[in-house]
Amino acid sequence: MEHRCSARYAADIKILIYRYDVPVAIGRIKNGTRYGLFIESDLTSVEPLQQLGIEILVTRGTAQKLQRYRFDSIAIHTTSHGFGVELDTLSEEAGNQLTEMLRASPVTPQESELFDMVANA
């Protein structure tokens, strides 16, 4: 059983995954907090305790300016669909920005929900 200190926010945020400062894959943040994330990705060579970089690209403000947010992380566990990471210590500002992005992220509907939407249209 997992023991988490805070509730996770469901998300669907596209990210770029780095290994040794080189981009190696893309993925999606499926849920997370300011302390950790679950990332869905086809990257299969992730091992526990491996260091990874996570980069989020978002547009902000009325000018739609593209901003990059880069976080260092350590893989904690892996599944057949992705992996969980613990984020290295974030500053208060970086933690608040990540939490804001997770809360604002629209969740992609499940496949069954998409079929229901089409059937009812």
Side-chain angles (χ1 to χ4, degrees), residues 31-100:
N31 64 58
T33 67
R34 67 184 303 152
Y35 306 106
L37 306 168
F38 180 77
I39 299 168
E40 195 173 74
S41 176
D42 291 337
L43 184 62
T44 58
S45 59
V46 175
E47 298 294 328
L49 302 179
Q50 185 174 30
Q51 294 181 337
L52 299 169
I54 307 299
E55 184 176 63
I56 303 171
L57 297 172
V58 294
T59 53
R60 293 207 173 254
T62 57
Q64 295 299 312
K65 182 179 176 184
L66 187 66
Q67 293 183 337
R68 292 177 171 209
Y69 296 95
R70 177 89 187 264
F71 305 103
D72 292 322
S73 68
I74 298 173
I76 299 300
H77 65 89
T78 62
T79 70
S80 59
H81 295 85
F83 50 92
V85 296
E86 181 179 307
L87 298 172
D88 279 353
T89 305
L90 300 178
S91 67
E92 187 69 26
E93 181 182 348
N96 290 340
Q97 289 171 339
L98 179 60
T99 302
E100 181 185 319

